[in-house]
């Protein structure tokens, strides 16, 4: 706003940039208060809440935080994870704590409470509400093959038409090495390996005025090994069109997002 004023344009009363200060994973709005400085925060929370609840969002991009011990334990996001929701097409999503219509029955499903899982869940819900859209995140790659995430993987396949997974590896916790035994490095200064994921949902086709049922989800996988600079160079030079993808056929009940001889 200050920059525009320097250029000679002053925002009108109802003008604003569509940037909001908010906790994405909370649906509770800050109460109106007269405390100094808090009035603006309350108004911001109200404006952000309207976007989260009502406005269709077709593209969601980011590098959400990874935190196994999540501080985001609000009822709204917890219900979204555990109880699911009804999609506009009438299909019920069972959430990440169910697979094939049954509870996971995990002794310790705590990793489903990681912040990055909750951000994926929020984005999936938001795109499902819009009926189409694209989600592009770089996150911890544990959800690709960890057994605990099998319900999450099935849910994502039920929501999206195409899923592209680019595993960047670099997991020092698992002491990952390149297939030839050479050193593998993370693209960030963290211990967890990471992956770029693109989830694409198409608007349902109409045939004779009726919506056609969702087609089978197509899952594609690619991976990069090696030193950090090599990975950076590869990412600068390549895009989704240039990448050599391998088609996966995730099967019940693990629904793996990595190549595996089934």
């Amino acid at each position: 706003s200050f920059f525009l004023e320097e250029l000679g344009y002053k925002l009108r009363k109802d003008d604003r940039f569509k940037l909001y200060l908010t906790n994405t994973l909370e649906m509770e709005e800050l109460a109106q208060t007269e405390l100094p400085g808090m009035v603006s925060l309350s108004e911001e929370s109200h404006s952000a809440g309207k976007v989260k609840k009502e406005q269709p969002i077709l593209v969601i991009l980011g590098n959400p935080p990874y935190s196994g011990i999540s501080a985001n334990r609000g009822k709204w996001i917890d219900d979204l994870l555990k109880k699911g929701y009804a999609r506009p097409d009438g299909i019920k999503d069972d959430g990440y704590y169910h697979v094939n219509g049954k509870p996971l029955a995990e002794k310790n499903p705590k990793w489903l409470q990681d912040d990055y899982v909750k951000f994926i869940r929020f984005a999936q819900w938001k795109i499902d509400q819009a009926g189409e859209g694209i989600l592009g995140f770089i996150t911890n790659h544990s959800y690709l093959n960890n057994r605990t995430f099998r319900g999450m993987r099935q849910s994502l396949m039920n929501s999206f038409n195409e899923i592209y997974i680019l595993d960047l590896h670099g997991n020092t916790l698992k002491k990952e090495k390149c297939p030839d035994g050479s050193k593998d490095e993370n693209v960030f200064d963290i211990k967890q390996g990471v992956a770029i994921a693109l989830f694409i949902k198409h608007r349902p086709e109409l045939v004779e005025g009726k919506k056609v049922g969702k087609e089978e989800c197509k899952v594609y996988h690619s991976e990069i090994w090696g030193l950090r600079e090599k990975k950076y160079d590869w990412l600068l030079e390549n895009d989704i069109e240039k990448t050599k993808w391998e088609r996966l056929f995730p099967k019940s009940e693990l629904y793996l997002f990595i190549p595996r001889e089934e």
Side-chain angles (χ1 to χ4, degrees):
S1 300
F2 290 141
F3 178 64
L4 280 178
E5 285 185 19
E6 288 177 8
L7 295 177
Y9 179 83
K10 186 170 178 62
L11 291 174
R12 294 186 295 272
K13 183 179 179 181
D14 295 329
D15 278 351
R16 70 162 290 161
F17 285 102
K18 304 299 182 182
L19 299 170
Y20 299 92
L21 178 65
T22 184
N23 180 349
T24 302
L25 303 179
E26 281 287 351
M27 277 297 179
E28 293 293 323
E29 296 178 19
L30 293 177
Q32 190 74 41
T33 176
E34 298 302 321
L35 288 173
M38 292 298 290
V39 175
S40 295
L41 280 179
S42 179
E43 291 175 356
E44 189 76 356
S45 172
H46 180 69
S47 298
K50 289 190 70 175
V51 173
K52 285 190 285 186
K53 295 173 185 176
E54 303 169 15
Q55 186 171 316
I57 296 177
L58 303 184
V59 179
I60 302 177
L61 303 172
N63 174 17
Y66 326 153
S67 175
I69 305 175
S70 172
N72 292 295
R73 295 189 172 272
K75 184 178 185 304
W76 179 81
I77 190 62
D78 199 56
D79 284 349
L80 211 60
L81 281 171
K82 295 178 179 178
K83 298 181 180 179
Y85 54 84
R87 301 203 318 236
D89 60 10
I91 296 176
K92 172 72 165 59
D93 177 282
D94 289 332
Y96 291 177
Y97 284 72
H98 290 76
V99 64
N100 295 338
K102 299 177 182 177
L104 283 182
E106 290 280 310
K107 290 183 179 179
N108 188 10
K110 65 178 183 179
W111 299 120
L112 287 171
Q113 287 292 325
D114 197 304
D115 275 340
Y116 84 89
V117 176
K118 293 175 180 177
F119 276 94
I120 290 176
R121 185 58 170 162
F122 166 83
Q124 176 189 4
W125 167 76
K126 196 64 185 165
I127 289 173
D128 265 342
Q129 300 309 303
E132 61 180 332
I134 298 173
L135 162 60
F137 275 177
I138 179 166
T139 68
N140 186 328
H141 70 175
S142 298
Y143 74 97
L144 301 183
N145 65 338
N146 188 310
R147 178 179 173 83
T148 303
F149 297 92
R150 62 193 186 277
M152 174 183 179
R153 292 189 289 268
Q154 184 185 37
S155 175
L156 290 167
M157 289 176 64
N158 287 338
S159 284
F160 293 95
N161 300 95
E162 297 173 65
I163 297 175
Y164 295 85
I165 302 293
L166 179 60
D167 195 343
L168 300 177
H169 294 288
N171 194 326
T172 59
L173 296 173
K174 294 182 178 179
K175 298 179 180 179
E176 281 192 314
K177 291 186 177 181
C178 300
D180 63 5
S182 59
K183 186 178 181 181
D184 181 54
E185 292 181 333
N186 201 306
V187 294
F188 299 135
D189 292 325
I190 59 175
K191 294 181 178 180
Q192 304 103 321
V194 298
I196 295 173
L198 297 170
F199 301 91
I200 301 169
K201 183 180 185 71
H202 302 298
R203 178 178 291 278
E205 291 185 13
L206 292 176
V207 176
E208 295 180 354
K210 295 182 180 180
K211 290 183 179 179
V212 176
K214 180 182 173 296
E215 63 199 53
E216 177 189 14
C217 178
K218 296 177 181 177
V219 181
Y220 300 94
H221 177 274
S222 191
E223 57 189 348
I224 308 174
W225 299 91
L227 302 180
R228 177 183 290 189
E229 290 303 322
K230 175 189 172 185
K231 293 179 181 180
Y232 285 170
D233 291 342
W234 190 96
L235 290 166
L236 283 170
E237 295 169 2
N238 290 274
D239 57 25
I240 194 170
E241 299 290 342
K242 295 179 182 177
T243 303
K244 294 181 179 178
W245 300 103
E246 176 183 353
R247 173 85 185 271
L248 304 182
F249 297 89
K251 293 181 174 59
S252 178
E253 65 177 34
L254 291 180
Y255 300 104
L256 297 172
F257 282 2
I258 62 168
R260 177 69 57 86
E261 177 55 60
E262 298 281 3

